[in-house]
Amino acid sequence: MRDIQNIFCIGRNYAQHAKELGNEVPSSPILFTKPTNALALADGQTLSYPNGKGEIHHELEIVLKIGSAKGSTHVDERVVEMALGIDLTLRDMQSELKKKGHPWERAKGFRNSAIVTPFWAFPGVEAIETVLFSLQKNGETLQEGKSTDMLFNFQRVLDECEQAFGLSEGDVIYTGTPEGVGPISDGDVFTLLWDGQEKGSFKVSM
């Protein structure tokens, strides 16, 4: 995790997720960032979160890691590894910030809000199109999806991040969450699965 340079995120990249929050389905990718201080590894550890700031929602995502293939713009050449991640959101705070027209960072960038499993080799876009990824809370499946459910595919997401921020080796992209987001609570145990296989887990302390 020490080699991660920047954390870029895509908002509302699954239509049903946008609808469940009462948001418009976007016509172009919504981009935001998180500080690297927000990173936490889903290696079975207990992660601490604040009380008294409203609900904190889990958002399961595919995470892409950029390699050093300079001069190439194709996903299969620029992305070297992938993981599953959770983008945590202070939902009540985010709603208030949006009402005021303020940036989201305070609701998105708090400590331990960018959870990620260990990375593994990226097999290419086509190889994962039919693979189901999912999130369990205390053994119950809450979120699941496939990369083909995204409004903006990996190539579009990479192109948007490259144009907006520039991409360098070690940057990671959280590519958006499917429907089923909801609050975390003290004592919850979350498990992140790829094709039915556990890739990481963590326990919540509040």
Side-chain angles (χ1 to χ4, degrees), residues 100-158:
K100 296 176 181 178
H102 292 176
W104 296 353
E105 277 75 9
R106 290 177 65 88
K108 286 287 192 177
F110 56 99
R111 193 171 297 276
N112 296 335
S113 65
I115 305 167
V116 68
T117 69
F119 284 85
W120 66 91
F122 182 64
V125 173
E126 290 187 6
I128 68 173
E129 286 182 339
T130 61
V131 178
L132 192 70
F133 64 102
S134 59
L135 177 68
Q136 293 181 352
K137 181 175 78 170
N138 305 325
E140 177 186 358
T141 299
L142 300 182
Q143 290 188 268
E144 60 183 10
K146 301 188 297 293
S147 62
T148 50
D149 296 333
M150 295 190 301
L151 293 169
F152 310 107
N153 63 22
F154 290 147
Q155 187 65 59
R156 178 71 185 279
V157 164
L158 186 146

Side-chain angles (χ1 to χ4, degrees), residues 155-175:
Q155 187 65 59
R156 178 71 185 279
V157 164
L158 186 146
D159 291 344
E160 288 285 334
C161 289
E162 181 69 77
Q163 182 178 14
F165 307 117
L167 289 170
S168 300
E169 184 176 6
D171 290 345
V172 298
I173 304 173
Y174 281 63
T175 58

